Amino acid sequence: MADTTMDCIQELDTSGARAAEVFEHAGTRYLVVPQLAEDIAGQPAQMTLGNSDVDALVYRWEGESFVEHARLSVPGGEDAEFFRIGERAFLATASLRTGSGPYALDTHSTIFELVDGRFDVFQRIATSAAKQWIHFEIGPRHFLALAQGVTHGDTPLAPGAESCIYEWNGERFEKLQTVRSGWGYNWAFFEVDGQKLLAYADHAVPSQLLRWNGNSFEPFQELEGKSGRAFRFFETEGSTWLAFACLHDDTVLYRWSDGRFVQHQVLSGPGGREFDWIATPDGGRLVQVNFLHGTREAPIPRLQSTVLRMTKGRMEPVAEFPTSGGTDASFFEAEGRRYMVVTNSLSGEVRFRTPSRVYRLDFPADKEPA
């Protein structure tokens, strides 16, 4: 299993880190880490507590490490998504909640615009337990999809709390449509066989694929598995694949066949949270980040996350790395080397302050003579 080498070159002082967004703008490489909460002295160790009125951390890459560049007001931070519209650059952030008990899930999430090295507030959007934004384009049109909401049992979401899709109108984003949702978590947009598909992961209702019909997204395929968390679309070995992570169910791999995705392989049991895909000359690597086992009341955050490689139609583990409430992985290349940021959100003692890590990666193909 020693096909991939991962050397930790830096630990970042993070608290409840929920995502890692690495991007370049105006000659500078940035890393944005939204943080869910910080520990409150004397408060019991519980993943649903803490002070959520915290900032997102913005780092810049210097040499072979990240240094703090700025802090952004993103309370209860869950996600950050960088994108461009023409010459303009934006960062959409998602806020799950505000406060330190009681908590408010109905808040706003902020879209920042990057101007002369600053992150200026551009638009605030009313959200409810926001988890993730994804930006994508269809022709000249720009969209932002928002995963949000929290529901228990058969209780319907309040109006405005459904996961939804926004479209750029030339000046700002406005709501285009909602999707069937209960406890939204994640999205992935991709094209296959000429079809534009949007995968939506939900914890409380079945996760699904939506298809663009020219005017809106319509239901295309419902997926098995409860507690959906994330997707990763990729192509390797001449086939098209979709990995689907679930927290309390199996994390599985689907293969595109005859106009739909069919289940191909179980990648792991419960615990799945997020993916990244690393394209390499020898076929690529799928990174699976695992979050925790157990329940919200009694979580087990210290797990092993996995790097997998496709071999003769099967995904096989080629490396493992420790995570503690792992939430995200973001791969990037700099000065001819490969790196990956991995965010951790909970210590083994169920405290928010736990370091996120920057790894330098090496693969066998890197060492082969030209």
Side-chain angles (χ1 to χ4, degrees):
M1 194 168 65
D3 160 284
T4 299
T5 302
M6 300 179 59
D7 294 320
C8 180
I9 61 170
Q10 185 179 8
E11 290 195 339
L12 305 174
D13 185 15
T14 56
S15 180
R18 305 295 276 193
E21 179 74 345
V22 179
F23 59 92
E24 285 190 68
H25 177 65
T28 299
R29 179 175 285 103
Y30 295 97
L31 163 66
V32 179
V33 180
Q35 301 182 116
L36 175 66
E38 62 184 6
D39 300 304
I40 297 175
Q43 192 176 69
Q46 191 171 326
M47 64 181 292
T48 56
L49 298 178
N51 172 28
S52 284
D53 294 331
V54 293
D55 295 330
L57 303 174
V58 181
Y59 299 91
R60 68 178 184 276
W61 183 253
E62 291 190 359
E64 199 179 30
S65 64
F66 286 105
V67 297
E68 188 170 320
H69 175 80
R71 295 188 175 219
L72 305 178
S73 179
V74 183
E78 282 279 337
D79 190 45
E81 171 84 346
F82 175 77
F83 60 96
R84 300 181 190 275
I85 299 178
E87 298 299 316
R88 302 173 72 178
F90 298 90
L91 183 76
T93 63
S95 288
L96 178 81
R97 66 185 191 182
T98 61
S100 56
Y103 302 96
L105 297 179
D106 293 329
T107 180
H108 65 261
S109 294
T110 304
I111 302 173
F112 297 89
E113 183 170 8
L114 281 71
V115 181
D116 297 328
R118 304 187 314 272
F119 290 76
D120 293 344
V121 174
F122 172 75
Q123 183 178 355
R124 288 189 171 97
I125 294 179
T127 56
S128 181
K131 318 291 193 321
Q132 197 216 33
W133 290 104
I134 187 175
H135 167 264
F136 57 93
E137 302 172 41
I138 298 178
R141 302 170 70 173
H142 289 261
F143 300 88
L144 272 179
L146 170 66
Q148 65 172 353
V150 170
T151 187
H152 298 279
D154 297 326
T155 305
L157 286 171
E162 308 97 335
S163 295
C164 53
I165 302 166
Y166 289 81
E167 184 175 4
W168 178 252
N169 66 8
E171 297 181 354
R172 59 196 294 109
F173 286 94
E174 60 182 5
K175 189 178 292 186
L176 174 70
Q177 70 174 96
T178 61
V179 302
R180 182 190 62 177
S181 51
W183 197 321
Y185 261 91
N186 218 314
W187 305 91
F189 176 77
F190 51 90
E191 297 188 35
V192 56
D193 284 352
Q195 301 190 77
K196 298 174 176 62
L197 301 181
L198 183 61
Y200 169 65
D202 197 292
H203 177 81
V205 303
S207 299
Q208 60 176 318
L209 305 180
L210 305 166
R211 177 172 53 191
W212 179 247
N213 63 17
N215 297 301
S216 63
F217 285 92
E218 59 187 11
F220 173 71
Q221 183 179 349
E222 191 171 289
L223 301 179
E224 297 181 5
K226 299 177 181 178
S227 64
R229 283 300 182 274
F231 296 96
R232 179 59 60 172
F233 173 85
F234 60 95
E235 296 176 336
T236 191
E237 287 197 349
S239 295
T240 298
W241 310 90
L242 184 66
F244 176 37
C246 291
L247 182 63
H248 299 307
D249 212 332
D250 289 339
T251 288
V252 298
L253 181 65
Y254 286 85
R255 177 175 50 83
W256 181 256
S257 177
D258 296 326
R260 61 186 290 109
F261 282 99
V262 296
Q263 188 168 320
H264 178 80
Q265 178 185 352
V266 174
L267 297 178
S268 71
R273 168 73 186 209
E274 189 53 275
F275 298 108
D276 202 6
W277 173 253
I278 304 172
T280 63
D282 59 355
R285 305 290 190 281
L286 179 68
V287 180
Q288 179 184 325
V289 177
N290 294 319
F291 183 42
L292 55 79
H293 290 163
T295 64
R296 288 156 62 91
E297 295 74 26
I300 303 170
R302 286 181 178 163
L303 302 178
Q304 291 292 310
S305 292
T306 314
V307 181
L308 304 109
R309 178 184 177 188
M310 185 70 73
T311 303
K312 298 181 180 178
R314 300 285 295 179
M315 271 292 180
E316 302 292 346
V318 293
E320 289 185 338
F321 57 99
T323 45
S324 193
T327 49
D328 200 9
S330 185
F331 170 80
F332 67 99
E333 296 187 46
E335 294 79 46
R337 301 300 301 269
R338 296 185 176 99
Y339 303 89
M340 185 169 66
V341 180
V342 176
T343 48
N344 294 303
S345 65
L346 280 176
S347 72
E349 297 71 40
V350 196
R351 295 296 184 181
F352 292 110
R353 185 157 298 281
T354 187
S356 297
R357 295 186 171 93
V358 183
Y359 292 93
R360 184 172 53 234
L361 308 180
D362 288 296
F363 306 115
D366 296 334
K367 300 179 176 61
E368 293 176 0

